[in-house]
Amino acid sequence: MPLRDDWPRLARNLVSPVTLGTVVLACAVIIAGCGGGGGSKAKADSTSSTTRPPTTTTTLPATRYVVRQGDTLTAIAGKFHVEMSRILALNHLPNADRLTLGQTLLIPPPLPVVLTVTPAKGEPGQQFALHMSGVKPGETVKFEIDGRGYRFTGGAHLPDATGSISTTFESANESPGVYTVTGRGNAGSEAHSGFTLTAPPATPSPS
């Protein structure tokens, strides 16, 4: 299966005394119970939804780093596997070349590695966009297409300054089915996604 640009073209879920007040209370309960099952059920559903535990997202804290003799922002970014632009933004640094000995920098945590393929479904001949983010600086990444008994690994890609890689894949005559796309870097970054090839519409036979 071919990849645009640098990829070669291929062939491509108890009983007690009863008082008057008790009788009145019991009647009230009975009346409420018979007044409409729908209202009672809606109330129960509402109570259930408010007691459901909230979904939380864990965010790693920034790391503090003290600048040492000979440090450069490029080297610090490489040491922590984060983009230099994110260190600059977090610390409000106007110039990447101006670091002070003993200066404390906040180093953001690495971004999660994510791979997306769009569209998620298409016919043979469809072009798919592959986008991988959270790649470590300087890491080369290869994309592997796997499905229907077929596997192909493309050429190496370098991330941009934001740690992202974008490329395209153009299907050809591959069989309809589900295909897995894996982005795998030489420094440990890895993410998975995929797409589905559907059968092209049948050509009506001439009458």
Side-chain angles (χ1 to χ4, degrees):
M1 294 184 284
L3 285 172
R4 179 155 296 177
D5 300 329
D6 58 326
W7 290 26
R9 278 189 79 82
L10 300 177
R12 344 287 178 249
N13 159 277
L14 296 171
V15 177
S16 60
V18 178
T19 64
L20 178 60
T22 304
V23 172
V24 172
L25 178 60
C27 290
V29 171
I30 293 172
I31 292 172
C34 299
S40 177
K41 184 176 186 301
K43 183 177 180 181
D45 288 346
S46 174
T47 301
S48 175
S49 63
T50 57
T51 57
R52 186 176 300 151
T55 301
T56 58
T57 301
T58 302
T59 303
L60 295 175
T63 301
R64 293 182 177 273
Y65 179 80
V66 178
V67 177
R68 305 171 183 176
Q69 185 69 41
D71 274 343
T72 64
L73 201 57
T74 301
I76 294 171
K79 175 183 176 68
F80 289 95
H81 303 297
V82 298
E83 298 76 36
M84 188 169 65
S85 59
R86 296 179 62 215
I87 299 178
L88 285 169
L90 183 60
N91 293 275
H92 307 289
L93 299 176
N95 194 324
D97 297 325
R98 295 183 179 177
L99 294 180
T100 305
L101 187 65
Q103 177 183 6
T104 299
L105 296 177
L106 293 176
I107 311 299
L111 293 173
V113 183
V114 178
L115 172 62
T116 58
V117 178
T118 53
K121 183 181 294 186
E123 297 177 6
Q126 172 76 50
Q127 185 179 92
F128 296 88
L130 281 59
H131 180 78
M132 186 168 174
S133 59
V135 180
K136 298 173 183 177
E139 181 177 23
T140 58
V141 173
K142 293 183 178 182
F143 293 97
E144 181 181 279
I145 314 296
D146 190 5
R148 309 295 295 175
Y150 170 81
R151 175 175 292 180
F152 167 72
T153 302
H157 297 261
L158 276 170
D160 61 18
T162 66
S164 299
I165 294 173
S166 294
T167 187
T168 57
F169 164 78
E170 186 174 343
S171 62
N173 300 316
E174 297 77 26
S175 301
V178 177
Y179 289 80
T180 300
V181 181
T182 301
R184 185 174 289 111
N186 64 348
S189 296
E190 185 172 327
H192 306 269
S193 187
F195 60 89
T196 300
L197 282 182
T198 59
T203 304
S205 56
S207 56

